[in-house]
Amino acid sequence: MPSTRSSSAPKKQQSGTSPFPRLDAERKTQVCIIGAGPAGLTVHQAMAQIGVTSVVIEARSRQYVQNRVRAGLVEPGTVRILDDLGVGQKLLRDAACHKGLLLQLDDTSARVPFGDITGEPVYMYPQQHIVRDLISASDPQRILFDTEAVNVETGSLDAAVTVNHAGRHFRVKCDFIVGADGAHGASRRSLPDERKKSYERDYGIDWLGILAETAPLADELIYSCSARGFALHSMRGESQSRLYLQVPRGSSPSWTDDRIWQELDYRLSPGAARIRRGDITERTAVKLKAFQLENPQYRRLFLIGDAAHTVPPSAAKGLNLAVEDAACLAQALWAWYQDHERGGLDRYASKAAQRAWLAQMFSAEMTRLLHVLPGDTQFDTKTRTARWQRIVDNPIALRDFADHYVGIARR
Ligand code: RFL
Ligand code: PHB
């Protein structure tokens, strides 16, 4: 990010680009962002700081996006980006700082002191709080909630997004479109067939995640692989636990609360005491899949975050990549608006893809290391054990694991 708070002589906002006092006219903005998730809102905040007009189009309500339970683990690089944008204060005040994790395989466990190894901690702070912080920092008129992008057009000189607000359609003309609308959004769909080339891996299992009103049973995360599969112990503050179980594809609805607690006890023991049960206030089912577009740019459309790549949540990289993409694109847009320098925009796609592939690689490794996958044989069990032992015993392997976990391997 071009230290956006102090950037010299940014271009002033163009006149006549006020946000949409009436929704039925054709409107203009410099950058039209689709999606008010962490990726889109980070670009929006960065644009506001350099005096470039942007508008965010969000299909869901403000209430919905501010309460959507998802990520919790935030890398130090992400914290720095948010802090540079002036939205890191609450995170730095409220987040728990973690310097280690427990890796457990069957009945053996080892602590990975990634904080001591890398000099960097990770932060536990709910994704929906990052979303709230970013929304609170922006001009409310410039985020159009309950408004869906239905058509994305991009030429080589200009671009436009057609949106639907309460059944009325209108068109937003812009210089650039940022497709930050997640894995199922309109921007990925709008790519011409010849630009849709992508790479995928489906691990054939799901995660069932719960948020429970019970104190975490340890101060640090526990990643555990038992003969019956994976479990993760995480937390949201001092009185809520965030717990995940590997479950067969599509089976989440059939898991009763009682069965979830029993299975968590089994898979998280013996490295941890039994979990005190509490009310389950939220359940999430996630398919363990990876996806990446070959090229996240088409003319004046730039895809960022989950729209460009989704990673399985095993290594907690999705939110962090989303914010990183946003910062990288914001810097390129800044150079363009400042000096008409287009090198950054031209390089965005390959830089973002390269970083995302490193996160894909580590997420795939964590997924293999910690899950019993369909079709696994005793051979896979043995190689998993060998890999686990190598990370635990070998300082170079441990260092590499720690570098990827805290995100410095992508810098
Ligand atoms: P988002 O957050 O999905 O936001 C996209 C937004 O676009 C809107 N939208 C549209 N708006 C207008 N018009 C349309 N046509 C639209 N179509 C969609 C949507 O309503 C939405 O508001 O994408 P973004 O910003 O790229 O952010 C990505 C992250 O949300 C995601 O990668 C992370 O949550 C992944 N993830 C984790 N990442 C981490 O870095 N650390 C973690 O600890 C972590 N844990 C997780 C996770 C994801 C999980 N699930 C549920 C998939 C844990 C879980 C369980
Ligand atoms: C979470 O707290 O939601 C979380 C933490 C670590 C992961 C995935 C999810 O690897």
Side-chain angles (χ1 to χ4, degrees):
M1 185 82 41
S3 90
T4 44
R5 270 192 285 189
S6 59
S7 56
S8 58
K11 280 207 164 172
K12 286 275 171 284
Q13 286 198 186
Q14 288 180 347
S15 59
T17 54
S18 66
F20 310 89
R22 287 170 33 230
L23 292 179
D24 53 354
E26 194 165 85
R27 297 289 165 193
K28 267 182 122 176
T29 186
Q30 288 174 303
V31 178
C32 182
I33 300 164
I34 312 174
L41 291 168
T42 301
V43 176
H44 186 52
Q45 177 68 7
M47 293 301 98
Q49 295 220 335
I50 59 171
V52 171
T53 64
S54 64
V55 162
V56 182
I57 308 296
E58 170 55 54
R60 312 300 295 247
S61 67
R62 177 171 182 165
Q63 160 92 356
Y64 182 89
V65 300
Q66 292 195 152
N67 291 297
R68 183 166 39 200
V69 178
R70 280 203 177 167
L73 191 150
V74 187
E75 293 176 354
T78 304
V79 175
R80 274 191 286 274
I81 292 169
L82 295 172
D83 200 38
D84 278 352
L85 288 171
V87 287
Q89 258 176 327
K90 272 178 132 184
L91 191 159
L92 287 165
R93 187 192 65 201
D94 298 341
C97 210
H98 285 210
K99 295 182 174 170
L101 61 84
L102 205 66
L103 262 190
Q104 205 163 280
L105 184 63
D106 300 321
D107 52 3
T108 336
S109 64
R111 182 170 183 270
V112 176
F114 56 79
D116 293 339
I117 297 171
T118 64
E120 300 256 37
V122 299
Y123 298 80
M124 296 307 297
Y125 190 69
Q127 174 168 330
Q128 69 271 30
H129 290 199
I130 294 182
V131 166
R132 284 178 211 174
D133 297 345
L134 284 160
I135 292 174
S136 312
S138 70
D139 174 350
Q141 289 216 311
R142 292 204 160 267
I143 307 180
L144 303 183
F145 292 103
D146 302 300
T147 304
E148 189 186 3
V150 289
N151 193 38
V152 174
E153 304 157 58
T154 173
S156 42
L157 294 176
D158 53 10
V161 178
T162 304
V163 308
N164 175 357
H165 176 81
R168 284 156 71 202
H169 288 70
F170 65 104
R171 214 163 156 260
V172 183
K173 284 186 178 176
C174 53
D175 300 335
F176 297 102
I177 302 169
V178 178
D181 46 354
H184 309 288
S187 43
R188 202 195 273 177
R189 278 199 305 275
S190 78
L191 293 170
D193 286 345
E194 70 278 11
R195 297 300 287 270
K196 282 198 170 101
K197 184 168 169 51
S198 62
Y199 304 88
E200 293 179 45
R201 164 65 40 95
D202 186 344
Y203 293 97
I205 51 166
D206 295 351
W207 270 19
L208 167 56
I210 60 162
L211 192 62
E213 294 302 315
T214 183
L217 57 78
D219 292 338
E220 294 180 340
L221 270 62
I222 305 170
Y223 291 85
S224 180
C225 180
S226 75
R228 297 212 308 237
F230 170 75
L232 168 60
H233 163 270
S234 180
M235 64 279 295
R236 299 289 183 268
E238 283 168 16
S239 56
Q240 285 188 319
S241 297
R242 181 73 167 147
L243 300 150
Y244 296 98
L245 282 175
Q246 163 187 350
V247 299
R249 173 64 48 86
S251 73
S252 301
S254 69
W255 284 72
T256 60
D257 290 3
D258 202 40
R259 187 170 166 217
I260 292 174
W261 288 117
Q262 274 176 23
E263 200 60 22
L264 283 166
D265 277 343
Y266 174 83
R267 295 190 197 176
L268 290 171
S269 299
R274 306 239 132 190
I275 309 167
R276 202 171 52 79
R277 299 180 181 196
D279 283 349
I280 297 179
T281 53
E282 202 267 346
R283 274 176 176 242
T284 321
V286 191
K287 290 190 173 82
L288 248 73
K289 281 182 170 188
F291 169 94
Q292 187 158 330
L293 276 174
E294 166 83 14
N295 183 348
Q297 182 201 349
Y298 176 58
R299 295 183 177 158
R300 290 180 164 249
L301 166 66
F302 292 85
L303 288 98
I304 63 172
D306 277 15
H309 39 67
T310 44
V311 289
S314 325
K317 294 294 167 224
L319 158 75
N320 295 293
L321 275 181
V323 171
E324 212 166 66
D325 281 357
C328 175
L329 181 59
Q331 180 155 30
L333 287 168
W334 177 81
W336 167 262
Y337 281 111
Q338 184 84 353
D339 302 321
H340 268 254
E341 156 58 45
R342 59 169 303 149
L345 289 174
D346 290 343
R347 285 189 297 273
Y348 167 76
S350 68
K351 271 171 79 176
Q354 207 177 350
R355 265 199 323 266
W357 277 119
L358 283 173
Q360 293 282 12
M361 181 198 82
F362 185 63
S363 304
E365 173 172 327
M366 285 281 269
T367 304
R368 272 248 146 253
L369 180 70
L370 296 164
H371 298 77
V372 180
L373 296 175
D376 270 7
T377 62
Q378 283 185 339
F379 181 88
D380 300 290
T381 310
K382 291 286 185 196
T383 52
R384 183 166 41 242
T385 310
R387 181 66 193 138
W388 186 92
Q389 205 64 53
R390 178 82 180 156
I391 293 168
V392 169
D393 289 346
N394 182 281
I396 295 170
L398 185 63
R399 165 90 213 199
D400 192 56
F401 182 94
D403 282 355
H404 280 282
Y405 192 77
V406 303
I408 62 178
R410 299 196 307 282
R411 279 187 226 143

